[in-house]
Amino acid sequence: QKEVEQNSGPLSVPEGAIASLNCTYSDRGSQSFFWYRQYSGKSPELIMSIYSNGDKEDGRFTAQLNKASQYVSLLIRDSQPSDSATYLCAVRIISNFGNEKLTFGTGTRLTIIP
Amino acid sequence: DGGITQSPKYLFRKEGQNVTLSCEQNLNHDAMYWYRQDPGQGLRLIYYSQIVNDFQKGDIAEGYSVSREKKESFPLTVTSAQKNPTAFYLCASSITGAANEQFFGPGTRLTVL
């Protein structure tokens, strides 16, 4: 089982609709969760971080965390063509040797259709 | 402007050559990281450093080396021992360890000819 799993997509959403991106993780002890947006050929850009169960809103973005079910999601309201990108989920994991690191999913490619 | 810079943006290497990728940050971050990204894959951790003069191997350290002589700088050397070095290399930094948010530089795209 992969440590962090995402549906690779592509996910196509009409402009103005809500895009929903999901991520599951295997380490129950994980405490920190991040969503990055990556445009083609560019580096990842941090858009949301969440540490507690529940919802966290920032503009058109809402991150949702459910530690009991081990999933974290990202909702994008009023989707715009500029939201078309690959979205990476990252989870802070403590390794077998006690080191902490971020583990990334492979990303979900989102396309907003005008 | 505060940020992370990487150079060069594009790098071409002949087989058997060592090359060094530069990463500099002026965010006063303690921790720095190197990742590798291959097409259709997630980011894989090569090396990381949480303080000056100390660094740890990540998941795919073989064929790579790093140094951390200054807080601002964390160069990565891709040695000839790395069998498949063609990839997009990303440097990141954060305040302390992996618990905090990591911010990425623009990346270096390395191609082996």
Side-chain angles (χ1 to χ4, degrees), chain A residues 20-45:
Chain A
S20 177
L21 305 164
N22 299 313
C23 172
T24 59
Y25 59 94
S26 59
D27 185 349
R28 266 192 190 277
S30 300
Q31 297 294 323
S32 308
F33 307 86
F34 307 91
W35 282 100
Y36 288 83
R37 177 177 63 200
Q38 185 175 25
Y39 293 115
S40 180
K42 303 296 185 181
S43 63
E45 173 192 8

mmCIF file of all heavy atoms in Angstrom, chain A residues 20-45:
data_model
loop_
_atom_site.group_PDB
_atom_site.id
_atom_site.type_symbol
_atom_site.label_atom_id
_atom_site.label_comp_id
_atom_site.label_asym_id
_atom_site.label_seq_id
_atom_site.Cartn_x
_atom_site.Cartn_y
_atom_site.Cartn_z
ATOM 1 N N SER A 20 -13.487 18.597 -6.624
ATOM 2 C CA SER A 20 -13.217 17.871 -5.392
ATOM 3 C C SER A 20 -12.058 16.910 -5.609
ATOM 4 O O SER A 20 -12.118 16.025 -6.457
ATOM 5 C CB SER A 20 -14.467 17.100 -4.953
ATOM 6 O OG SER A 20 -14.193 16.333 -3.792
ATOM 7 N N LEU A 21 -10.997 17.104 -4.830
ATOM 8 C CA LEU A 21 -9.792 16.287 -4.952
ATOM 9 C C LEU A 21 -9.585 15.522 -3.646
ATOM 10 O O LEU A 21 -9.721 16.101 -2.564
ATOM 11 C CB LEU A 21 -8.580 17.179 -5.228
ATOM 12 C CG LEU A 21 -8.727 18.101 -6.445
ATOM 13 C CD1 LEU A 21 -7.684 19.194 -6.402
ATOM 14 C CD2 LEU A 21 -8.596 17.288 -7.715
ATOM 15 N N ASN A 22 -9.256 14.244 -3.758
ATOM 16 C CA ASN A 22 -9.152 13.406 -2.576
ATOM 17 C C ASN A 22 -7.785 12.777 -2.422
ATOM 18 O O ASN A 22 -7.072 12.548 -3.403
ATOM 19 C CB ASN A 22 -10.199 12.296 -2.640
ATOM 20 C CG ASN A 22 -11.606 12.858 -2.671
ATOM 21 O OD1 ASN A 22 -11.955 13.734 -1.896
ATOM 22 N ND2 ASN A 22 -12.421 12.367 -3.600
ATOM 23 N N CYS A 23 -7.462 12.465 -1.177
ATOM 24 C CA CYS A 23 -6.157 11.894 -0.852
ATOM 25 C C CYS A 23 -6.336 10.994 0.368
ATOM 26 O O CYS A 23 -6.987 11.397 1.343
ATOM 27 C CB CYS A 23 -5.183 13.038 -0.558
ATOM 28 S SG CYS A 23 -3.569 12.559 0.070
ATOM 29 N N THR A 24 -5.783 9.801 0.339
ATOM 30 C CA THR A 24 -5.781 8.931 1.514
ATOM 31 C C THR A 24 -4.347 8.636 1.915
ATOM 32 O O THR A 24 -3.437 8.674 1.082
ATOM 33 C CB THR A 24 -6.514 7.610 1.237
ATOM 34 O OG1 THR A 24 -5.876 6.941 0.144
ATOM 35 C CG2 THR A 24 -7.970 7.836 0.914
ATOM 36 N N TYR A 25 -4.145 8.370 3.197
ATOM 37 C CA TYR A 25 -2.806 8.116 3.691
ATOM 38 C C TYR A 25 -2.820 6.924 4.638
ATOM 39 O O TYR A 25 -3.853 6.583 5.220
ATOM 40 C CB TYR A 25 -2.230 9.358 4.379
ATOM 41 C CG TYR A 25 -3.039 9.850 5.550
ATOM 42 C CD1 TYR A 25 -2.735 9.453 6.850
ATOM 43 C CD2 TYR A 25 -4.113 10.721 5.360
ATOM 44 C CE1 TYR A 25 -3.479 9.904 7.926
ATOM 45 C CE2 TYR A 25 -4.865 11.172 6.431
ATOM 46 C CZ TYR A 25 -4.546 10.772 7.700
ATOM 47 O OH TYR A 25 -5.275 11.221 8.775
ATOM 48 N N SER A 26 -1.668 6.291 4.808
ATOM 49 C CA SER A 26 -1.624 5.028 5.546
ATOM 50 C C SER A 26 -1.149 5.172 6.995
ATOM 51 O O SER A 26 -1.477 4.335 7.840
ATOM 52 C CB SER A 26 -0.705 4.042 4.820
ATOM 53 O OG SER A 26 0.602 4.569 4.704
ATOM 54 N N ASP A 27 -0.387 6.233 7.305
ATOM 55 C CA ASP A 27 0.186 6.368 8.645
ATOM 56 C C ASP A 27 -0.785 7.073 9.573
ATOM 57 O O ASP A 27 -1.013 8.278 9.445
ATOM 58 C CB ASP A 27 1.508 7.133 8.553
ATOM 59 C CG ASP A 27 2.229 7.216 9.893
ATOM 60 O OD1 ASP A 27 1.618 6.876 10.932
ATOM 61 O OD2 ASP A 27 3.399 7.620 9.900
ATOM 62 N N ARG A 28 -1.345 6.335 10.532
ATOM 63 C CA ARG A 28 -2.325 6.917 11.443
ATOM 64 C C ARG A 28 -1.750 8.028 12.315
ATOM 65 O O ARG A 28 -2.483 8.856 12.826
ATOM 66 C CB ARG A 28 -2.873 5.824 12.372
ATOM 67 C CG ARG A 28 -4.113 5.213 11.875
ATOM 68 C CD ARG A 28 -4.823 4.354 12.877
ATOM 69 N NE ARG A 28 -5.864 3.641 12.164
ATOM 70 C CZ ARG A 28 -7.033 4.190 11.910
ATOM 71 N NH1 ARG A 28 -7.323 5.399 12.314
ATOM 72 N NH2 ARG A 28 -7.949 3.508 11.234
ATOM 73 N N GLY A 29 -0.430 8.019 12.497
ATOM 74 C CA GLY A 29 0.209 9.030 13.333
ATOM 75 C C GLY A 29 0.475 10.349 12.635
ATOM 76 O O GLY A 29 0.975 11.291 13.252
ATOM 77 N N SER A 30 0.142 10.457 11.356
ATOM 78 C CA SER A 30 0.399 11.684 10.609
ATOM 79 C C SER A 30 -0.352 12.862 11.220
ATOM 80 O O SER A 30 -1.507 12.738 11.624
ATOM 81 C CB SER A 30 -0.016 11.514 9.145
ATOM 82 O OG SER A 30 0.715 10.465 8.547
ATOM 83 N N GLN A 31 0.330 14.008 11.281
ATOM 84 C CA GLN A 31 -0.253 15.170 11.954
ATOM 85 C C GLN A 31 -0.422 16.379 11.042
ATOM 86 O O GLN A 31 -1.197 17.276 11.348
ATOM 87 C CB GLN A 31 0.645 15.572 13.134
ATOM 88 C CG GLN A 31 0.751 14.510 14.213
ATOM 89 C CD GLN A 31 -0.573 14.268 14.913
ATOM 90 O OE1 GLN A 31 -1.336 15.199 15.143
ATOM 91 N NE2 GLN A 31 -0.867 13.020 15.229
ATOM 92 N N SER A 32 0.343 16.429 9.972
ATOM 93 C CA SER A 32 0.346 17.620 9.116
ATOM 94 C C SER A 32 0.061 17.213 7.683
ATOM 95 O O SER A 32 0.621 16.233 7.195
ATOM 96 C CB SER A 32 1.703 18.327 9.176
ATOM 97 O OG SER A 32 2.078 18.567 10.511
ATOM 98 N N PHE A 33 -0.781 18.042 7.024
ATOM 99 C CA PHE A 33 -1.246 17.689 5.681
ATOM 100 C C PHE A 33 -1.225 18.940 4.815
ATOM 101 O O PHE A 33 -1.595 20.022 5.281
ATOM 102 C CB PHE A 33 -2.659 17.102 5.746
ATOM 103 C CG PHE A 33 -2.759 15.968 6.721
ATOM 104 C CD1 PHE A 33 -3.008 16.219 8.064
ATOM 105 C CD2 PHE A 33 -2.581 14.670 6.299
ATOM 106 C CE1 PHE A 33 -3.077 15.174 8.981
ATOM 107 C CE2 PHE A 33 -2.645 13.628 7.197
ATOM 108 C CZ PHE A 33 -2.882 13.872 8.544
ATOM 109 N N PHE A 34 -0.796 18.770 3.573
ATOM 110 C CA PHE A 34 -0.588 19.923 2.708
ATOM 111 C C PHE A 34 -1.123 19.639 1.312
ATOM 112 O O PHE A 34 -1.052 18.505 0.827
ATOM 113 C CB PHE A 34 0.907 20.254 2.616
ATOM 114 C CG PHE A 34 1.577 20.412 3.961
ATOM 115 C CD1 PHE A 34 2.163 19.317 4.584
ATOM 116 C CD2 PHE A 34 1.606 21.634 4.601
ATOM 117 C CE1 PHE A 34 2.767 19.443 5.824
ATOM 118 C CE2 PHE A 34 2.218 21.770 5.844
ATOM 119 C CZ PHE A 34 2.794 20.674 6.455
ATOM 120 N N TRP A 35 -1.619 20.698 0.670
ATOM 121 C CA TRP A 35 -1.986 20.625 -0.746
ATOM 122 C C TRP A 35 -1.108 21.604 -1.521
ATOM 123 O O TRP A 35 -0.996 22.777 -1.157
ATOM 124 C CB TRP A 35 -3.449 20.991 -0.949
ATOM 125 C CG TRP A 35 -4.380 19.879 -0.585
ATOM 126 C CD1 TRP A 35 -5.101 19.727 0.560
ATOM 127 C CD2 TRP A 35 -4.705 18.735 -1.398
ATOM 128 N NE1 TRP A 35 -5.850 18.579 0.523
ATOM 129 C CE2 TRP A 35 -5.620 17.948 -0.667
ATOM 130 C CE3 TRP A 35 -4.306 18.298 -2.672
ATOM 131 C CZ2 TRP A 35 -6.147 16.756 -1.164
ATOM 132 C CZ3 TRP A 35 -4.824 17.119 -3.163
ATOM 133 C CH2 TRP A 35 -5.734 16.353 -2.412
ATOM 134 N N TYR A 36 -0.509 21.087 -2.603
ATOM 135 C CA TYR A 36 0.301 21.903 -3.492
ATOM 136 C C TYR A 36 -0.338 21.900 -4.883
ATOM 137 O O TYR A 36 -0.896 20.888 -5.321
ATOM 138 C CB TYR A 36 1.723 21.340 -3.604
ATOM 139 C CG TYR A 36 2.585 21.536 -2.381
ATOM 140 C CD1 TYR A 36 2.524 20.662 -1.301
ATOM 141 C CD2 TYR A 36 3.479 22.604 -2.310
ATOM 142 C CE1 TYR A 36 3.326 20.842 -0.184
ATOM 143 C CE2 TYR A 36 4.293 22.787 -1.191
ATOM 144 C CZ TYR A 36 4.204 21.902 -0.140
ATOM 145 O OH TYR A 36 5.005 22.088 0.968
ATOM 146 N N ARG A 37 -0.195 23.003 -5.575
ATOM 147 C CA ARG A 37 -0.626 23.114 -6.963
ATOM 148 C C ARG A 37 0.632 23.196 -7.826
ATOM 149 O O ARG A 37 1.561 23.945 -7.526
ATOM 150 C CB ARG A 37 -1.477 24.368 -7.154
ATOM 151 C CG ARG A 37 -1.924 24.624 -8.585
ATOM 152 C CD ARG A 37 -2.825 25.851 -8.636
ATOM 153 N NE ARG A 37 -2.133 27.063 -8.233
ATOM 154 C CZ ARG A 37 -2.733 28.170 -7.828
ATOM 155 N NH1 ARG A 37 -4.069 28.223 -7.787
ATOM 156 N NH2 ARG A 37 -2.022 29.222 -7.491
ATOM 157 N N GLN A 38 0.654 22.431 -8.912
ATOM 158 C CA GLN A 38 1.804 22.430 -9.794
ATOM 159 C C GLN A 38 1.345 22.579 -11.237
ATOM 160 O O GLN A 38 0.696 21.696 -11.790
ATOM 161 C CB GLN A 38 2.631 21.145 -9.633
ATOM 162 C CG GLN A 38 3.919 21.147 -10.436
ATOM 163 C CD GLN A 38 4.796 19.930 -10.178
ATOM 164 O OE1 GLN A 38 4.314 18.869 -9.787
ATOM 165 N NE2 GLN A 38 6.088 20.077 -10.390
ATOM 166 N N TYR A 39 1.703 23.708 -11.830
ATOM 167 C CA TYR A 39 1.449 23.903 -13.251
ATOM 168 C C TYR A 39 2.499 23.148 -14.053
ATOM 169 O O TYR A 39 3.615 22.928 -13.578
ATOM 170 C CB TYR A 39 1.469 25.389 -13.607
ATOM 171 C CG TYR A 39 0.327 26.188 -13.003
ATOM 172 C CD1 TYR A 39 0.563 27.187 -12.054
ATOM 173 C CD2 TYR A 39 -0.989 25.957 -13.393
ATOM 174 C CE1 TYR A 39 -0.472 27.911 -11.502
ATOM 175 C CE2 TYR A 39 -2.034 26.673 -12.842
ATOM 176 C CZ TYR A 39 -1.767 27.647 -11.894
ATOM 177 O OH TYR A 39 -2.801 28.367 -11.349
ATOM 178 N N SER A 40 2.144 22.791 -15.272
ATOM 179 C CA SER A 40 3.034 22.000 -16.114
ATOM 180 C C SER A 40 4.385 22.695 -16.303
ATOM 181 O O SER A 40 4.449 23.863 -16.683
ATOM 182 C CB SER A 40 2.376 21.774 -17.476
ATOM 183 O OG SER A 40 3.222 21.014 -18.310
ATOM 184 N N GLY A 41 5.452 21.985 -15.988
ATOM 185 C CA GLY A 41 6.800 22.518 -16.154
ATOM 186 C C GLY A 41 7.267 23.435 -15.041
ATOM 187 O O GLY A 41 8.391 23.948 -15.090
ATOM 188 N N LYS A 42 6.424 23.645 -14.040
ATOM 189 C CA LYS A 42 6.768 24.547 -12.931
ATOM 190 C C LYS A 42 6.931 23.767 -11.632
ATOM 191 O O LYS A 42 6.639 22.579 -11.561
ATOM 192 C CB LYS A 42 5.674 25.608 -12.762
ATOM 193 C CG LYS A 42 5.416 26.439 -14.000
ATOM 194 C CD LYS A 42 6.631 27.265 -14.387
ATOM 195 C CE LYS A 42 6.323 28.179 -15.557
ATOM 196 N NZ LYS A 42 7.521 28.972 -15.971
ATOM 197 N N SER A 43 7.383 24.458 -10.598
ATOM 198 C CA SER A 43 7.548 23.824 -9.297
ATOM 199 C C SER A 43 6.246 23.884 -8.503
ATOM 200 O O SER A 43 5.372 24.712 -8.783
ATOM 201 C CB SER A 43 8.680 24.509 -8.525
ATOM 202 O OG SER A 43 8.365 25.854 -8.270
ATOM 203 N N PRO A 44 6.086 23.024 -7.487
ATOM 204 C CA PRO A 44 4.867 23.036 -6.668
ATOM 205 C C PRO A 44 4.752 24.317 -5.849
ATOM 206 O O PRO A 44 5.749 24.859 -5.360
ATOM 207 C CB PRO A 44 5.046 21.818 -5.757
ATOM 208 C CG PRO A 44 6.038 20.951 -6.451
ATOM 209 C CD PRO A 44 6.961 21.888 -7.144
ATOM 210 N N GLU A 45 3.510 24.757 -5.690
ATOM 211 C CA GLU A 45 3.194 25.960 -4.919
ATOM 212 C C GLU A 45 2.239 25.556 -3.799
ATOM 213 O O GLU A 45 1.189 24.960 -4.054
ATOM 214 C CB GLU A 45 2.531 26.989 -5.841
ATOM 215 C CG GLU A 45 1.995 28.207 -5.154
ATOM 216 C CD GLU A 45 1.102 29.032 -6.074
ATOM 217 O OE1 GLU A 45 0.794 28.563 -7.188
ATOM 218 O OE2 GLU A 45 0.708 30.136 -5.675
#
